[in-house]
Structures are given as C-alpha cells and as structure tokens.
Amino acid sequence: MEMQLEANGQVPDTRKTLHKHFQLANENYLRILMKVDAVEIPSDRTEARQSRKALVVKLHGQMEAVDKLVLKCVPETTQTAATATPSEQQTSSDQQTVYSDSR
C-alpha cells in the first residue's frame, strides 16, 4: 500500500482516513441490509426466512463491530461532529430498525 501525501507534502491524518473508511463500510452494510430486507419470501419457506434473518443478524453484528472500531480509533470530537449531520442521524436511525420475520 502506497502512502499518499497531501498537497502540502504532509501525511494525511490517519484517524480521519479511518473514520472515512469506517463510514463507507457501514454505508455499504446498510445498503446490503436494505436489499436483503426488500426480498420477499413466502411464509411457507421457513428455511429461506431463517437464512435471511441470520444474514440480517450478521450484518448488524458487523455494523456494531465497525462502530466499536470508530470509538477506539477516532477521537470524541470527530465522532460528535460526524453524528451532528442530519444524513448521519438518519443513517443511525435506519440502523436501529428491527427486522422481524413476520412477513
């Protein structure tokens, strides 16, 4: 992996870069979660429904793991600033959605 320098010749702030990558990871997990949730499975296909539910649980676990990494790697001031935007707050509330198997 090559290290890229900023215009002033300085190495970019690693924490900001990590935060950006963590954000992108969670956004990608959320997109996958939304696609999985959009799949309609008939109620008589219990095995398929259980598989979907297991995938949703796994995706939530991955998103929580990324959030824990953010807490470890990113200073509180950056976390506070990141959660202050309306789009981030919406993403956060979307992640809290509980997916049930009652379709």
Side-chain angles (χ1 to χ4, degrees):
M1 182 169 120
E2 289 185 34
M3 185 169 297
Q4 295 181 359
L5 300 178
E6 293 181 346
N8 62 4
Q10 298 291 320
V11 176
D13 185 2
T14 304
R15 286 175 277 178
K16 287 181 183 178
T17 303
L18 282 173
H19 187 260
K20 181 179 177 182
H21 286 288
F22 291 150
Q23 243 180 337
L24 290 173
N26 262 348
E27 288 174 11
N28 287 329
Y29 284 134
L30 185 60
R31 280 189 201 104
I32 294 168
L33 191 59
M34 292 172 72
K35 287 179 182 181
V36 168
D37 189 48
V39 174
E40 293 188 27
I41 302 175
S43 59
D44 62 335
R45 301 289 314 264
T46 56
E47 187 176 328
R49 293 172 71 83
Q50 289 172 345
S51 294
R52 180 182 63 192
K53 186 174 182 178
L55 179 58
V56 167
V57 169
K58 188 170 188 167
L59 287 167
H60 275 283
Q62 293 297 318
M63 293 170 78
E64 287 178 17
V66 170
D67 288 340
K68 287 179 183 177
L69 287 172
V70 169
L71 292 174
K72 283 184 179 180
C73 298
V74 182
E76 287 184 35
T77 55
T78 306
Q79 293 173 28
T80 305
T83 58
T85 64
S87 62
E88 297 253 338
Q89 290 173 353
Q90 180 62 39
T91 301
S92 177
S93 67
D94 289 345
Q95 292 172 0
Q96 297 299 321
T97 304
V98 176
Y99 294 91
S100 66
D101 203 22
S102 61
R103 289 185 189 198

XYZ file of all heavy atoms in Angstrom:
810
model
N 0.847 -1.179 0.000
C 0.000 0.000 0.000
C 0.891 1.240 0.000
O 1.765 1.388 0.842
C -0.889 -0.019 1.243
C -1.828 1.133 1.319
S -3.047 0.863 2.623
C -2.701 2.256 3.657
N 0.673 2.111 -0.962
C 1.445 3.339 -1.041
C 0.848 4.404 -0.144
O -0.359 4.497 0.008
C 1.450 3.869 -2.479
C 2.271 3.034 -3.423
C 2.341 3.670 -4.786
O 2.357 4.920 -4.872
O 2.360 2.916 -5.761
N 1.722 5.197 0.462
C 1.244 6.293 1.299
C 1.116 7.535 0.428
O 2.058 7.906 -0.263
C 2.220 6.556 2.453
C 1.708 7.598 3.407
S 2.678 7.687 4.895
C 2.415 6.075 5.575
N -0.051 8.111 0.401
C -0.265 9.309 -0.391
C -0.058 10.539 0.480
O -0.458 10.570 1.636
C -1.672 9.317 -0.963
C -1.895 8.189 -1.940
C -3.293 8.229 -2.523
O -4.091 9.078 -2.191
N -3.564 7.292 -3.420
N 0.566 11.540 -0.096
C 0.813 12.781 0.616
C -0.233 13.811 0.223
O -0.750 13.798 -0.889
C 2.211 13.314 0.295
C 3.387 12.410 0.652
C 4.688 13.059 0.216
C 3.420 12.107 2.122
N -0.545 14.684 1.156
C -1.440 15.795 0.857
C -0.690 16.812 0.010
O 0.520 16.709 -0.202
C -1.927 16.423 2.163
C -2.827 15.493 2.948
C -3.330 16.123 4.236
O -2.791 17.158 4.663
O -4.280 15.561 4.809
N -1.389 17.824 -0.481
C -0.799 18.843 -1.353
C 0.396 19.530 -0.696
O 1.351 19.898 -1.366
C -1.852 19.871 -1.746
N 0.363 19.676 0.624
C 1.458 20.346 1.316
C 2.602 19.398 1.661
O 3.536 19.770 2.363
C 0.939 21.033 2.586
C 0.354 20.038 3.580
O 0.397 18.837 3.367
N -0.211 20.554 4.656
N 2.548 18.148 1.180
C 3.606 17.194 1.424
C 3.474 16.443 2.732
O 4.325 15.630 3.065
N 2.405 16.690 3.482
C 2.193 16.037 4.764
C 1.422 14.719 4.582
O 0.660 14.565 3.643
C 1.391 16.953 5.703
C 2.087 18.255 6.042
C 3.308 18.042 6.918
O 3.284 17.223 7.818
N 4.355 18.770 6.631
N 1.630 13.808 5.509
C 0.860 12.571 5.520
C -0.532 12.914 6.048
O -0.665 13.610 7.049
C 1.535 11.522 6.433
C 0.682 10.265 6.521
C 2.929 11.200 5.937
N -1.610 12.446 5.376
C -2.961 12.772 5.848
C -3.209 12.182 7.233
O -2.603 11.190 7.625
C -3.873 12.144 4.808
C -3.044 11.143 4.097
C -1.619 11.586 4.216
N -4.120 12.797 7.972
C -4.456 12.339 9.308
C -5.079 10.951 9.222
O -6.129 10.753 8.619
C -5.436 13.321 9.970
C -5.738 12.971 11.414
O -5.166 11.979 11.928
O -6.542 13.679 12.023
N -4.416 9.980 9.816
C -4.858 8.591 9.752
C -6.230 8.416 10.369
O -7.054 7.645 9.863
C -3.845 7.683 10.469
O -2.561 7.895 9.889
C -4.203 6.233 10.329
N -6.508 9.120 11.457
C -7.813 8.978 12.097
C -8.936 9.423 11.182
O -9.984 8.786 11.128
C -7.847 9.739 13.421
C -7.057 9.019 14.514
C -7.016 9.838 15.732
N -5.917 10.788 15.514
C -5.559 11.725 16.352
N -6.207 11.903 17.463
N -4.551 12.508 16.100
N -8.728 10.506 10.464
C -9.761 10.974 9.533
C -9.964 9.948 8.417
O -11.089 9.674 8.020
C -9.370 12.322 8.927
C -9.489 13.474 9.882
C -9.110 14.771 9.203
C -9.165 15.930 10.172
N -8.749 17.186 9.532
N -8.861 9.393 7.942
C -8.939 8.386 6.888
C -9.675 7.151 7.396
O -10.545 6.610 6.704
C -7.524 8.001 6.413
O -6.857 9.180 5.969
C -7.575 6.992 5.284
N -9.339 6.698 8.601
C -10.021 5.551 9.186
C -11.518 5.829 9.344
O -12.346 4.982 9.026
C -9.425 5.194 10.545
C -8.109 4.437 10.520
C -7.547 4.311 11.931
C -8.282 3.078 9.886
N -11.819 7.010 9.844
C -13.225 7.363 10.044
C -13.980 7.306 8.717
O -15.095 6.786 8.648
C -13.341 8.749 10.679
C -14.738 9.093 11.066
N -15.529 9.899 10.288
C -15.494 8.721 12.127
C -16.717 10.015 10.857
N -16.725 9.314 11.971
N -13.362 7.815 7.669
C -13.993 7.800 6.349
C -14.230 6.358 5.887
O -15.302 6.022 5.395
C -13.113 8.543 5.345
C -13.676 8.600 3.953
C -12.763 9.374 3.033
C -13.286 9.388 1.615
N -12.390 10.103 0.709
N -13.232 5.503 6.064
C -13.365 4.103 5.653
C -14.432 3.377 6.483
O -15.186 2.565 5.954
C -12.025 3.371 5.752
C -11.071 3.758 4.666
N -11.238 3.375 3.346
C -9.950 4.500 4.698
C -10.260 3.860 2.618
N -9.456 4.551 3.412
N -14.474 3.670 7.780
C -15.488 3.061 8.637
C -16.888 3.500 8.207
O -17.824 2.705 8.186
C -15.264 3.427 10.104
C -14.025 2.812 10.711
C -13.348 3.470 11.717
C -13.547 1.588 10.286
C -12.215 2.912 12.286
C -12.420 1.023 10.842
C -11.748 1.677 11.851
N -17.012 4.776 7.876
C -18.302 5.301 7.419
C -18.739 4.594 6.137
O -19.897 4.193 6.004
C -18.181 6.801 7.143
C -19.016 7.662 8.009
C -18.827 9.138 7.648
O -17.826 9.555 7.075
N -19.794 9.919 8.003
N -17.809 4.450 5.209
C -18.121 3.777 3.945
C -18.504 2.318 4.173
O -19.431 1.810 3.536
C -16.932 3.868 2.985
C -16.639 5.248 2.413
C -15.328 5.238 1.620
C -17.781 5.722 1.537
N -17.815 1.657 5.092
C -18.135 0.261 5.398
C -19.560 0.157 5.931
O -20.338 -0.701 5.488
C -17.140 -0.307 6.410
N -19.908 1.014 6.881
C -21.257 0.963 7.439
C -22.315 1.321 6.400
O -23.394 0.744 6.390
C -21.379 1.861 8.672
C -21.245 1.072 9.949
O -21.272 -0.158 9.947
N -21.097 1.761 11.057
N -22.012 2.256 5.515
C -22.955 2.597 4.453
C -23.176 1.399 3.531
O -24.302 1.122 3.127
C -22.459 3.799 3.655
C -22.560 5.107 4.413
C -21.932 6.279 3.674
O -21.591 6.136 2.471
O -21.761 7.328 4.302
N -22.090 0.683 3.222
C -22.217 -0.497 2.375
C -23.014 -1.597 3.075
O -23.853 -2.253 2.451
C -20.847 -1.023 1.959
C -20.194 -0.135 0.927
O -20.877 0.498 0.126
N -18.881 -0.073 0.937
N -22.760 -1.809 4.368
C -23.541 -2.794 5.121
C -25.019 -2.408 5.131
O -25.893 -3.259 5.004
C -23.033 -2.926 6.560
C -21.752 -3.722 6.695
C -20.702 -3.250 7.478
C -21.598 -4.951 6.065
C -19.538 -3.980 7.611
C -20.432 -5.683 6.189
C -19.406 -5.197 6.970
O -18.256 -5.923 7.102
N -25.293 -1.126 5.275
C -26.684 -0.665 5.294
C -27.355 -0.904 3.945
O -28.510 -1.331 3.888
C -26.743 0.811 5.681
C -28.136 1.390 5.857
C -28.906 0.659 6.950
C -28.039 2.875 6.205
N -26.632 -0.652 2.854
C -27.193 -0.909 1.518
C -27.534 -2.392 1.355
O -28.590 -2.747 0.824
C -26.204 -0.486 0.429
C -26.197 0.983 0.166
C -25.364 1.302 -1.076
N -24.975 2.684 -1.014
C -23.768 3.136 -0.693
N -22.797 2.290 -0.432
N -23.511 4.410 -0.643
N -26.617 -3.252 1.794
C -26.857 -4.698 1.698
C -28.065 -5.073 2.547
O -28.927 -5.840 2.119
C -25.608 -5.484 2.139
C -24.458 -5.242 1.156
C -25.921 -6.975 2.254
C -23.112 -5.731 1.655
N -28.126 -4.514 3.745
C -29.234 -4.796 4.650
C -30.574 -4.410 4.024
O -31.551 -5.150 4.108
C -29.020 -4.042 5.966
C -29.911 -4.376 7.138
C -29.791 -5.838 7.517
C -29.553 -3.502 8.326
N -30.598 -3.273 3.363
C -31.835 -2.821 2.716
C -32.228 -3.753 1.561
O -33.405 -4.042 1.364
C -31.675 -1.382 2.236
C -31.568 -0.398 3.396
S -31.152 1.281 2.892
C -32.687 1.772 2.135
N -31.230 -4.235 0.813
C -31.524 -5.158 -0.286
C -32.041 -6.493 0.243
O -32.985 -7.063 -0.307
C -30.275 -5.375 -1.141
C -29.939 -4.179 -2.000
C -28.698 -4.415 -2.816
C -28.367 -3.172 -3.633
N -27.170 -3.371 -4.457
N -31.424 -6.972 1.313
C -31.870 -8.235 1.911
C -33.287 -8.082 2.443
O -34.131 -8.968 2.271
C -30.908 -8.673 3.038
C -31.483 -9.809 3.861
C -29.550 -9.062 2.463
N -33.572 -6.950 3.058
C -34.900 -6.707 3.613
C -35.959 -6.596 2.514
O -37.121 -6.920 2.732
C -34.895 -5.440 4.466
C -36.180 -5.274 5.233
O -36.624 -6.255 5.875
O -36.752 -4.172 5.185
N -35.558 -6.167 1.327
C -36.506 -5.997 0.228
C -36.931 -7.325 -0.406
O -37.934 -7.383 -1.114
C -35.906 -5.087 -0.840
N -36.182 -8.385 -0.128
C -36.516 -9.687 -0.696
C -37.746 -10.243 0.020
O -37.761 -10.362 1.245
C -35.326 -10.673 -0.547
C -35.716 -12.058 -1.010
C -34.119 -10.161 -1.303
N -38.774 -10.548 -0.761
C -39.996 -11.109 -0.179
C -39.924 -12.627 -0.248
O -39.739 -13.201 -1.323
C -41.220 -10.584 -0.916
C -41.417 -9.096 -0.702
C -42.732 -8.604 -1.276
O -43.681 -9.403 -1.376
O -42.788 -7.418 -1.612
N -40.079 -13.248 0.897
C -40.033 -14.704 0.980
C -41.385 -15.184 1.508
O -41.826 -14.721 2.562
C -38.892 -15.163 1.912
C -37.549 -14.627 1.401
C -38.862 -16.674 2.014
C -36.373 -14.910 2.315
N -42.037 -16.092 0.804
C -43.330 -16.605 1.267
C -43.217 -17.231 2.661
O -42.176 -17.779 3.027
C -43.699 -17.670 0.225
C -42.857 -17.365 -0.964
C -41.624 -16.702 -0.458
N -44.281 -17.157 3.405
C -44.266 -17.626 4.790
C -44.020 -19.128 4.903
O -43.539 -19.597 5.926
C -45.559 -17.250 5.504
O -46.653 -17.824 4.821
N -44.310 -19.883 3.853
C -44.079 -21.325 3.916
C -42.623 -21.712 3.654
O -42.242 -22.861 3.798
C -44.995 -22.064 2.937
C -44.745 -21.686 1.484
O -44.249 -20.568 1.232
O -45.061 -22.510 0.600
N -41.787 -20.771 3.311
C -40.350 -21.013 3.060
C -39.557 -20.684 4.310
O -38.749 -19.758 4.351
C -39.874 -20.166 1.887
C -40.585 -20.391 0.557
C -40.245 -21.730 -0.095
N -38.844 -22.015 -0.101
C -38.018 -21.781 -1.104
N -38.468 -21.257 -2.206
N -36.739 -22.093 -1.023
N -39.791 -21.447 5.372
C -39.193 -21.139 6.679
C -37.667 -21.186 6.667
O -37.021 -20.379 7.316
C -39.726 -22.091 7.768
O -39.482 -23.440 7.375
C -41.203 -21.878 7.995
N -37.093 -22.123 5.916
C -35.629 -22.210 5.878
C -35.032 -20.957 5.244
O -34.042 -20.403 5.740
C -35.195 -23.454 5.106
C -33.695 -23.692 5.171
C -33.290 -24.980 4.483
O -34.078 -25.948 4.485
O -32.170 -25.003 3.951
N -35.629 -20.495 4.163
C -35.141 -19.280 3.498
C -35.315 -18.069 4.411
O -34.442 -17.197 4.486
C -35.891 -19.064 2.186
N -36.433 -18.016 5.134
C -36.677 -16.903 6.050
C -35.667 -16.920 7.195
O -35.184 -15.873 7.624
C -38.106 -16.958 6.574
C -39.139 -16.707 5.476
C -40.557 -16.959 5.957
N -41.015 -15.955 6.888
C -41.521 -14.787 6.543
N -41.646 -14.481 5.274
N -41.920 -13.942 7.459
N -35.338 -18.105 7.691
C -34.348 -18.214 8.757
C -32.970 -17.787 8.256
O -32.209 -17.138 8.977
C -34.301 -19.637 9.307
C -35.517 -20.007 10.120
C -35.541 -21.483 10.494
O -34.805 -22.291 9.934
N -36.417 -21.828 11.438
N -32.653 -18.145 7.018
C -31.370 -17.743 6.430
C -31.284 -16.228 6.306
O -30.250 -15.627 6.597
C -31.182 -18.381 5.054
O -31.062 -19.768 5.177
N -32.389 -15.625 5.857
C -32.405 -14.166 5.737
C -32.233 -13.515 7.107
O -31.466 -12.569 7.271
C -33.691 -13.671 5.086
C -33.721 -12.151 4.966
C -34.969 -11.616 4.370
N -36.099 -11.938 5.221
C -37.351 -11.788 4.850
N -37.648 -11.361 3.660
N -38.332 -12.086 5.676
N -32.926 -14.039 8.096
C -32.828 -13.484 9.439
C -31.396 -13.618 9.971
O -30.862 -12.680 10.572
C -33.808 -14.188 10.377
C -33.862 -13.570 11.749
C -34.941 -14.209 12.591
C -35.013 -13.540 13.953
N -36.079 -14.096 14.777
N -30.754 -14.754 9.733
C -29.371 -14.958 10.173
C -28.438 -13.962 9.491
O -27.519 -13.424 10.121
C -28.935 -16.391 9.883
N -28.688 -13.699 8.216
C -27.870 -12.724 7.494
C -28.054 -11.322 8.066
O -27.084 -10.580 8.243
C -28.217 -12.740 6.003
C -27.465 -11.756 5.119
C -25.960 -11.966 5.216
C -27.937 -11.889 3.680
N -29.289 -10.964 8.374
C -29.564 -9.653 8.965
C -28.849 -9.515 10.310
O -28.214 -8.491 10.586
C -31.090 -9.426 9.118
C -31.388 -8.222 10.003
C -31.731 -9.259 7.747
N -28.902 -10.560 11.122
C -28.223 -10.534 12.426
C -26.714 -10.373 12.225
O -26.055 -9.592 12.919
C -28.555 -11.810 13.234
C -27.659 -11.939 14.449
C -30.021 -11.803 13.640
N -26.158 -11.090 11.254
C -24.724 -10.995 10.978
C -24.345 -9.582 10.506
O -23.331 -9.028 10.930
C -24.315 -12.031 9.939
C -22.832 -12.132 9.736
C -22.475 -13.335 8.896
C -20.975 -13.490 8.898
N -20.554 -14.771 8.366
N -25.164 -9.007 9.631
C -24.896 -7.648 9.151
C -24.934 -6.642 10.308
O -24.079 -5.757 10.387
C -25.891 -7.249 8.065
C -25.688 -7.914 6.706
C -26.893 -7.693 5.811
C -24.420 -7.391 6.051
N -25.909 -6.784 11.186
C -25.981 -5.894 12.347
C -24.732 -6.046 13.209
O -24.184 -5.055 13.707
C -27.238 -6.178 13.187
C -28.455 -5.483 12.701
N -28.705 -4.160 12.915
C -29.511 -5.942 11.987
C -29.854 -3.823 12.359
N -30.362 -4.885 11.789
N -24.271 -7.269 13.368
C -23.056 -7.516 14.145
C -21.849 -6.849 13.511
O -21.006 -6.268 14.210
N -21.746 -6.919 12.198
C -20.635 -6.271 11.504
C -20.690 -4.748 11.657
O -19.671 -4.094 11.860
C -20.633 -6.650 10.016
C -20.335 -8.110 9.758
C -18.955 -8.497 10.223
O -17.984 -7.778 10.034
N -18.857 -9.646 10.858
N -21.896 -4.213 11.575
C -22.053 -2.767 11.740
C -21.675 -2.338 13.161
O -21.029 -1.303 13.353
C -23.484 -2.353 11.389
C -23.794 -2.536 9.910
S -25.532 -2.332 9.500
C -25.660 -0.556 9.516
N -22.050 -3.138 14.144
C -21.669 -2.835 15.527
C -20.166 -2.923 15.708
O -19.567 -2.109 16.429
C -22.384 -3.792 16.483
C -23.857 -3.490 16.632
C -24.574 -4.481 17.544
O -23.896 -5.201 18.318
O -25.805 -4.545 17.483
N -19.533 -3.894 15.054
C -18.077 -4.032 15.144
C -17.384 -2.800 14.563
O -16.405 -2.291 15.132
C -17.623 -5.291 14.418
N -17.896 -2.301 13.446
C -17.323 -1.088 12.842
C -17.514 0.095 13.785
O -16.598 0.901 13.983
C -17.949 -0.810 11.452
C -17.544 0.560 10.933
C -17.551 -1.889 10.459
N -18.699 0.195 14.398
C -18.945 1.288 15.341
C -17.978 1.228 16.521
O -17.483 2.263 16.992
C -20.382 1.245 15.851
C -21.397 1.660 14.791
O -20.988 2.330 13.811
O -22.574 1.311 14.943
N -17.665 0.031 17.004
C -16.701 -0.113 18.106
C -15.311 0.315 17.672
O -14.572 0.931 18.443
C -16.683 -1.554 18.613
C -17.909 -1.923 19.402
C -17.874 -3.365 19.863
C -19.153 -3.725 20.587
N -19.188 -5.134 20.980
N -14.940 -0.002 16.432
C -13.642 0.433 15.920
C -13.575 1.953 15.838
O -12.538 2.553 16.121
C -13.373 -0.184 14.550
C -13.048 -1.668 14.534
C -13.009 -2.195 13.105
C -11.728 -1.933 15.239
N -14.683 2.565 15.446
C -14.729 4.030 15.389
C -14.468 4.606 16.776
O -13.689 5.535 16.945
C -16.081 4.534 14.835
C -16.230 6.031 15.033
C -16.217 4.185 13.369
N -15.110 4.035 17.789
C -14.929 4.528 19.157
C -13.481 4.384 19.623
O -12.981 5.229 20.354
C -15.855 3.783 20.120
C -17.345 4.060 19.937
C -18.167 3.150 20.852
C -17.669 5.521 20.215
N -12.801 3.325 19.182
C -11.408 3.108 19.581
C -10.432 4.022 18.843
O -9.452 4.470 19.407
C -10.994 1.660 19.306
C -11.511 0.668 20.291
C -10.944 -0.704 19.965
C -11.420 -1.736 20.956
N -10.859 -3.062 20.640
N -10.712 4.260 17.564
C -9.726 4.911 16.708
C -9.940 6.395 16.480
O -9.020 7.100 16.107
C -9.695 4.224 15.344
S -9.208 2.508 15.442
N -11.159 6.855 16.659
C -11.474 8.234 16.306
C -11.729 9.028 17.578
O -12.503 8.602 18.430
C -12.711 8.285 15.377
C -13.024 9.699 14.969
C -12.473 7.425 14.154
N -11.077 10.177 17.730
C -11.305 10.985 18.927
C -12.760 11.433 19.041
O -13.463 11.544 18.043
C -10.391 12.188 18.747
C -9.791 12.086 17.410
C -10.168 10.785 16.792
N -13.193 11.688 20.269
C -14.589 12.047 20.526
C -15.038 13.268 19.736
O -16.168 13.340 19.305
C -14.803 12.292 22.019
C -14.787 11.014 22.822
C -15.091 11.266 24.277
O -15.897 12.160 24.565
O -14.525 10.567 25.109
N -14.170 14.247 19.547
C -14.574 15.453 18.823
C -14.981 15.123 17.400
O -15.940 15.669 16.881
C -13.441 16.495 18.805
O -12.263 15.878 18.275
C -13.173 17.028 20.189
N -14.286 14.187 16.753
C -14.635 13.793 15.393
C -15.943 13.026 15.388
O -16.782 13.201 14.517
C -13.525 12.920 14.773
O -12.298 13.627 14.878
C -13.810 12.601 13.328
N -16.140 12.154 16.396
C -17.381 11.385 16.473
C -18.569 12.316 16.646
O -19.591 12.147 16.009
C -17.340 10.413 17.649
C -16.326 9.300 17.478
C -16.214 8.491 18.742
O -17.164 8.392 19.497
N -15.052 7.917 18.965
N -18.432 13.292 17.507
C -19.521 14.227 17.752
C -19.862 14.993 16.489
O -21.019 15.144 16.136
C -19.143 15.215 18.881
O -18.769 14.452 20.021
C -20.293 16.122 19.217
N -18.848 15.451 15.777
C -19.079 16.203 14.547
C -19.738 15.326 13.489
O -20.601 15.776 12.753
C -17.761 16.765 14.021
N -19.344 14.071 13.440
C -19.892 13.180 12.422
C -21.362 12.864 12.668
O -22.120 12.682 11.733
C -19.083 11.889 12.380
N -21.759 12.784 13.916
C -23.142 12.426 14.202
C -24.060 13.636 14.188
O -25.261 13.485 14.325
C -23.259 11.717 15.571
O -22.735 12.580 16.569
C -22.535 10.394 15.562
N -23.517 14.817 13.995
C -24.323 16.023 14.058
C -25.090 16.294 12.762
O -26.059 17.018 12.774
C -23.442 17.230 14.377
N -24.654 15.703 11.640
C -25.321 15.995 10.379
C -26.623 15.208 10.273
O -26.710 14.078 10.722
C -24.415 15.644 9.179
O -24.188 14.244 9.197
C -23.109 16.410 9.223
N -27.639 15.794 9.648
C -28.929 15.123 9.518
C -28.842 13.797 8.768
O -29.493 12.834 9.130
C -29.788 16.118 8.744
C -29.142 17.440 8.973
C -27.681 17.157 9.149
N -28.012 13.730 7.714
C -27.923 12.477 6.956
C -27.323 11.372 7.809
O -27.731 10.222 7.729
C -27.095 12.663 5.691
O -25.774 13.037 6.014
N -26.362 11.711 8.647
C -25.766 10.713 9.538
C -26.766 10.279 10.597
O -26.826 9.120 10.951
C -24.516 11.267 10.208
C -23.417 11.605 9.259
C -22.286 10.608 9.346
O -22.169 9.948 10.363
O -21.548 10.524 8.377
N -27.558 11.227 11.088
C -28.558 10.868 12.081
C -29.591 9.937 11.465
O -30.044 8.998 12.102
C -29.228 12.124 12.642
C -28.305 12.933 13.521
C -28.910 14.261 13.931
O -29.978 14.644 13.460
N -28.226 14.969 14.799
N -29.956 10.165 10.202
C -30.916 9.297 9.517
C -30.333 7.905 9.351
O -30.994 6.917 9.602
C -31.295 9.884 8.153
C -32.291 9.045 7.379
C -33.620 8.908 8.092
O -34.101 9.858 8.696
N -34.200 7.739 8.049
N -29.056 7.825 8.933
C -28.399 6.535 8.785
C -28.385 5.802 10.110
O -28.660 4.619 10.183
C -26.957 6.718 8.263
O -27.013 7.382 7.008
C -26.260 5.381 8.115
N -28.103 6.519 11.183
C -28.072 5.913 12.507
C -29.439 5.372 12.899
O -29.553 4.270 13.421
C -27.601 6.935 13.534
O -27.618 6.393 14.814
N -30.493 6.120 12.622
C -31.826 5.647 12.974
C -32.230 4.474 12.092
O -32.922 3.574 12.530
C -32.847 6.778 12.884
O -33.019 7.182 11.546
N -31.775 4.452 10.816
C -32.060 3.326 9.935
C -31.414 2.056 10.468
O -31.978 0.977 10.373
C -31.537 3.579 8.521
C -32.333 4.634 7.777
O -33.444 4.959 8.237
O -31.830 5.126 6.757
N -30.215 2.183 11.045
C -29.517 1.026 11.564
C -30.229 0.448 12.779
O -30.076 -0.727 13.070
C -28.083 1.395 11.958
C -27.219 1.743 10.772
C -25.876 2.282 11.186
O -25.590 2.402 12.364
N -25.046 2.593 10.220
N -31.021 1.243 13.446
C -31.710 0.783 14.646
C -32.993 0.039 14.313
O -33.655 -0.473 15.186
C -32.028 1.982 15.571
C -30.783 2.689 16.079
C -29.914 1.765 16.896
O -30.394 0.961 17.661
N -28.605 1.889 16.718
N -33.358 -0.009 13.028
C -34.577 -0.681 12.619
C -34.506 -2.161 13.010
O -33.510 -2.816 12.778
C -34.773 -0.566 11.098
O -34.772 0.804 10.748
C -36.066 -1.214 10.668
N -35.565 -2.650 13.590
C -35.614 -4.052 13.983
C -36.303 -4.823 12.862
O -37.402 -4.490 12.449
C -36.388 -4.232 15.301
C -36.524 -5.704 15.641
C -35.716 -3.459 16.411
N -35.631 -5.827 12.370
C -36.170 -6.633 11.293
C -36.758 -7.901 11.894
O -36.093 -8.676 12.534
C -35.076 -6.984 10.278
C -34.593 -5.763 9.571
C -33.524 -5.022 10.054
C -35.232 -5.302 8.430
C -33.099 -3.878 9.423
C -34.813 -4.175 7.779
C -33.749 -3.463 8.291
O -33.325 -2.344 7.650
N -38.023 -8.088 11.649
C -38.673 -9.274 12.183
C -38.925 -10.263 11.063
O -38.854 -9.934 9.894
C -39.990 -8.895 12.867
O -40.889 -8.422 11.902
N -39.256 -11.442 11.437
C -39.505 -12.497 10.465
C -41.007 -12.727 10.309
O -41.452 -13.810 10.033
C -38.810 -13.778 10.945
C -38.538 -14.728 9.806
O -38.489 -14.254 8.650
O -38.367 -15.917 10.061
N -41.783 -11.678 10.483
C -43.245 -11.820 10.466
C -43.862 -11.393 9.151
O -44.988 -10.953 9.122
C -43.841 -11.019 11.627
O -43.513 -9.657 11.456
N -43.149 -11.475 8.075
C -43.707 -11.084 6.770
C -44.663 -12.115 6.268
O -44.522 -13.240 6.289
C -42.603 -10.900 5.754
C -41.817 -9.694 6.036
C -40.860 -9.566 4.927
N -39.948 -8.525 5.306
C -39.181 -7.907 4.474
N -39.200 -8.195 3.236
N -38.371 -6.995 4.863
